[in-house]
Amino acid sequence: MAASVDHGGWFAALFLGVSLLKCLFISSYHSTDFEVHRNWLAITHSLPVSRWYHENTSEWTLDYPPLFAWFEFGLSHVARHFDGDMLRVENLNYASEATVLFQRLSVVFTDLMFVFAVRECCRCVQVQKGSQDVLNQPAFVLAALLLWNFGLLIVDHIHFQYNGFLFGFLLLSVAKHMQSRHLQGALLFAVLLNLKHIYLYVAPAYGVYLLRSYCFTQDNKDGSVRWSSFSPLRLIALGSIVISVCALSFGPFIAMGQLPQVLSRLFPFKRGLCHAYWAPNVWALYNLLDKTLVTLGVRLKLLQEADLPRASMTGGLVQEFQHSVLPSVSPSVTLVCTLLSILPAVASIWFRPRGARGFLRCLLICALASFMFGWHVHEKAVLIAILPLSVLAVESREDAGIFLMLSATGHYSLFPLLHTPAELPIKVVLMLIFTIFSFVALRKLHSGRGSLLLPLEVVYLSGLVAVAIACEVVFPLSPWRQTLPFLPLLATSVYCALGVCYSFLRLYGSLLTSHKHKQL
């Protein structure tokens, strides 16, 4: 039975409350992503379409798919009523009060897509009958975990991006699949891919699920696919949706002969294996091992320091680099590692389909696997796993434990995005509120004996608190601040990488060992 989202008016209260909170951040710190999107407004408004993916006056060139460029084009026509000067390409780093107000409000307004998607997801979870306490209602807990998600608040409304708008398409697509409206779900995901190509991370889950559970209409008694049930019409319908959306998005650039130029912007492999701040993934641990071996090699006089590559990985630059001891990693290696890591998951939903929730679990594994093994991964990409996992967390006790581990670890890994002293109390208070609510609400929702976390997980999260205190309070007051400025980022990345990898393995285990559920 679908949840009654309007019960007691709590959904409207959650939405209005978080919207007011977002407005309080209008004058707060913003990152270079603010200038990135201002520049894209200027490019799409001031230049002909043929120059959008060639313009390079600013270093922040347009590197999102064409549908997002058209999204910026639409926003630019509203922006001109606030301050027309922000739409001039040559006005680099322009940030008048009107410009800041417009860009901040544009994120708040476009979050309505996310709000609608959250509402639809809440309709897909089960109703807890006979309880008047909202903390016993999965729909309420889910709405709070999504609408008040700590990561989205600081990444979009302080750091500055449009992730809420994009996640709205992802969550709405998932909700449509849960409602067995597969063509609508496919359409929404096709649009999302043409808005931001990072969601290619989860495309394998979509492709295998739709082929297996939509194009094949029946199973054998043992659950295996009945090949005779294949529907060519359904495959044609899916293909038509994907091709039509891609044609609308890329068609004009193909007609102008600019497809290679667009693709070179979308996939800039020369940026290097890791971002300036290492995302907490396998490559952060790999980099640390390489650094450790270098240090040991020099001290044991097995390596000559003069012969080693410069330590570019910790220099804060976005560029290609070579490892000193371990083999250097190429884009093709990361691709192979990613594909191998998701293969058991996609094979599982082919051979043992578990309906929409099995698909969602596979989607999460694809997202985390791409985060852990991908090329030049940004730390913000961990939200692609955290947000959809909220849906499973309110329905399963085991998934609730995984969510608590991943959300605490992944959210803390975002702390370095807000590095100014003024934002320290904001990010600490917001994360404490969200984390405490998550623990209390999920524990109450999954009432029963014992903690949602294993003892080892409690120890790890206690260590996370110690790392946070050391990096945010102790280190800035120590003499190491001048000599080892990268140390807090290194500690945060490596420690969080352990938690993310552990969450990935637990999630994988839940997929491969869970009992077969009735297909939705």
Side-chain angles (χ1 to χ4, degrees):
M1 181 183 296
S4 177
V5 180
D6 294 321
H7 179 70
W10 50 257
F11 190 89
L14 287 173
F15 161 60
L16 292 175
V18 77
S19 298
L20 291 175
L21 178 63
K22 293 170 183 177
C23 291
L24 294 179
F25 298 144
I26 287 177
S27 60
S28 66
Y29 156 84
H30 56 258
S31 71
T32 53
D33 280 330
F34 181 90
E35 169 61 14
V36 169
H37 288 280
R38 185 217 60 82
N39 186 51
W40 293 358
L41 288 172
I43 289 173
T44 56
H45 185 84
S46 305
L47 301 178
V49 177
S50 60
R51 292 182 57 192
W52 285 2
Y53 286 93
H54 287 276
E55 167 59 36
N56 60 0
T57 300
S58 167
E59 62 179 311
W60 312 118
T61 54
L62 181 58
D63 59 5
Y64 275 24
L67 276 191
F68 197 90
W70 287 110
F71 168 72
E72 294 276 10
F73 175 77
L75 289 179
S76 71
H77 286 274
V78 181
R80 65 181 181 178
H81 298 292
F82 283 75
D83 184 350
D85 287 340
M86 79 172 83
L87 302 176
R88 296 170 59 188
V89 174
E90 64 273 16
N91 272 1
L92 302 183
N93 299 310
Y94 187 78
S96 67
E97 290 186 2
T99 300
V100 172
L101 178 63
F102 167 74
Q103 291 200 231
R104 290 293 195 189
L105 290 180
S106 70
V107 180
V108 176
F109 178 77
T110 55
D111 270 358
L112 291 175
M113 180 68 188
F114 182 72
V115 174
F116 178 70
V118 172
R119 185 181 180 89
E120 288 300 303
C121 286
C122 289
R123 294 182 184 277
C124 296
V125 298
Q126 300 298 313
V127 175
Q128 187 74 26
K129 296 181 179 179
S131 176
Q132 299 300 316
D133 189 347
V134 291
L135 289 181
N136 284 327
Q137 295 296 335
F140 171 80
V141 176
L142 177 60
L145 292 177
L146 291 174
L147 292 177
W148 287 75
N149 179 271
F150 165 77
L152 268 187
L153 283 175
I154 68 166
V155 170
D156 278 11
H157 301 281
I158 300 180
H159 181 80
F160 193 86
Q161 279 190 344
Y162 290 92
N163 291 291
F165 171 69
L166 298 169
F167 275 118
F169 282 92
L170 179 64
L171 292 180
L172 188 57
S173 174
V174 169
K176 293 303 179 183
H177 286 305
M178 287 184 168
Q179 297 165 0
S180 297
R181 300 175 180 176
H182 298 299
L183 291 180
Q184 293 182 32
L187 173 61
L188 288 163
F189 184 67
V191 171
L192 177 62
L193 279 182
N194 283 273
L195 284 169
K196 190 170 184 179
H197 52 302
I198 193 174
Y199 293 96
L200 283 169
Y201 284 2
V202 298
Y206 270 89
V208 174
Y209 171 67
L210 287 171
L211 181 62
R212 175 65 177 85
S213 298
Y214 179 72
C215 294
F216 288 93
T217 58
Q218 295 179 4
D219 293 338
N220 294 318
K221 291 182 178 180
D222 61 357
S224 61
V225 61
R226 180 174 294 180
W227 296 99
S228 61
S229 68
F230 176 72
S231 172
L233 291 179
R234 290 191 172 195
L235 180 62
I236 291 173
L238 284 174
S240 299
I241 288 173
V242 174
I243 292 172
S244 297
V245 174
C246 291
L248 287 173
S249 177
F250 286 90
F253 299 94
I254 294 175
M256 291 184 290
Q258 294 187 8
L259 182 60
Q261 174 65 18
V262 175
L263 294 179
S264 70
R265 287 283 185 88
L266 299 186
F267 302 101
F269 291 114
K270 291 186 177 180
R271 288 184 176 179
L273 174 65
C274 296
H275 198 245
Y277 158 54
W278 302 346
N281 59 14
V282 166
W283 305 125
L285 301 177
Y286 189 83
N287 292 343
L288 176 65
L289 178 59
D290 185 70
K291 293 291 184 183
T292 302
L293 293 176
V294 167
T295 302
L296 291 175
V298 171
R299 290 190 176 184
L300 296 175
K301 297 183 179 180
L302 299 175
L303 297 173
Q304 297 296 322
E305 190 170 4
D307 297 333
L308 298 174
R310 295 182 60 188
S312 58
M313 283 186 295
T314 56
L317 299 177
V318 179
Q319 60 186 18
E320 293 183 281
F321 56 80
Q322 300 294 316
H323 289 90
S324 301
V325 178
L326 297 176
S328 292
V329 180
S330 65
S332 59
V333 170
T334 63
L335 176 61
V336 170
C337 290
T338 302
L339 293 177
L340 290 176
S341 66
I342 69 173
L343 185 59
V346 295
S348 176
I349 63 170
W350 176 270
F351 292 108
R352 295 189 298 166
R354 299 179 180 89
R357 281 165 177 78
F359 152 70
L360 178 55
R361 198 175 298 276
C362 181
L363 181 151
L364 294 170
I365 288 174
C366 289
L368 269 184
S370 300
F371 179 81
M372 291 207 311
F373 296 103
W375 179 266
H376 196 74
V377 173
H378 288 241
E379 64 285 343
K380 299 180 286 290
V382 74
L383 295 176
I384 301 177
I386 292 176
L387 287 166
L389 182 55
S390 306
V391 179
L392 297 180
V394 301
E395 296 187 330
S396 162
R397 183 179 179 85
E398 180 182 5
D399 291 324
I402 300 173
F403 173 82
L404 293 176
M405 273 290 295
L406 183 60
S407 64
T409 305
H411 284 158
Y412 176 68
S413 73
L414 300 175
F415 263 41
L417 292 176
L418 307 184
H419 50 80
T420 57
E423 275 65 45
L424 176 60
I426 295 176
K427 64 185 182 183
V428 170
V429 170
L430 285 178
M431 181 164 177
L432 282 176
I433 292 173
F434 181 83
T435 304
I436 292 172
F437 172 82
S438 300
F439 273 80
V440 172
L442 290 175
R443 182 179 176 84
K444 186 175 180 61
L445 190 61
H446 301 291
S447 56
R449 296 181 179 179
S451 170
L452 294 175
L453 297 175
L454 300 174
L456 182 62
E457 296 169 347
V458 174
V459 172
Y460 171 82
L461 291 180
S462 300
L464 188 64
V465 175
V467 170
I469 294 173
C471 293
E472 302 293 338
V473 179
V474 177
F475 184 83
L477 302 176
S478 73
W480 292 340
R481 181 180 180 181
Q482 299 298 327
T483 57
L484 297 171
F486 192 76
L487 189 58
L489 296 179
L490 175 66
T492 299
S493 178
V494 170
Y495 195 83
C496 291
L498 296 174
V500 173
C501 291
Y502 173 82
S503 300
F504 173 73
L505 293 176
R506 271 204 68 184
L507 192 62
Y508 230 128
S510 69
L511 173 72
L512 299 179
T513 62
S514 61
H515 296 290
K516 186 175 181 179
H517 299 296
K518 184 178 179 181
Q519 187 169 348
L520 295 179

